[in-house]
Amino acid sequence: MDKQQLKQRAHDLDVTVWVGKSGLEAVVDELDDQLSNENLVKVKFLRAARAGSSTDEKAADLADRVNAELIDTRGHTAVLHR
């Protein structure tokens, strides 16, 4: 499946992981589990999590940590695929 198809599939997904003031560390295990089950997950970065860096940077960092591919970021939401 190419990126465009994954973006279309992600469009109807609900956000299932929220990154807040606890940062990326707090969601790595949960996201890892969800990617094992679903392979396409939407992540929302709350204001407290974005302090000083962009959603793109945070999403790329998170994707690296869970060995996933960053498919798309829109606003403060990212789509990860594995």
Side-chain angles (χ1 to χ4, degrees), residues 46-74:
L46 305 175
R47 181 179 292 128
R50 297 191 311 267
S53 59
S54 72
T55 300
D56 291 339
E57 290 169 335
K58 292 282 188 191
D61 186 10
L62 190 55
D64 285 347
R65 292 179 191 218
V66 295
N67 193 27
E69 181 184 6
L70 178 60
I71 299 300
D72 193 21
T73 55
R74 186 159 300 163

Side-chain angles (χ1 to χ4, degrees), residues 7 11 43-44 55-56 72-79:
K7 283 182 189 182
H11 183 267
V43 180
K44 175 91 174 188
T55 300
D56 291 339
D72 193 21
T73 55
R74 186 159 300 163
H76 302 300
T77 304
V79 177

Side-chain angles (χ1 to χ4, degrees), residues 7-49:
K7 283 182 189 182
Q8 288 170 345
R9 258 188 62 207
H11 183 267
D12 294 327
L13 286 180
D14 291 325
V15 173
T16 54
V17 176
W18 287 265
V19 180
K21 64 182 175 222
S22 302
L24 300 180
E25 293 297 325
V27 301
V28 168
D29 289 341
E30 175 62 27
L31 180 59
D32 198 40
D33 289 347
Q34 287 191 25
L35 283 164
S36 295
N37 295 330
E38 298 298 326
N39 82 23
L40 197 62
V41 176
K42 256 189 191 173
V43 180
K44 175 91 174 188
F45 293 87
L46 305 175
R47 181 179 292 128

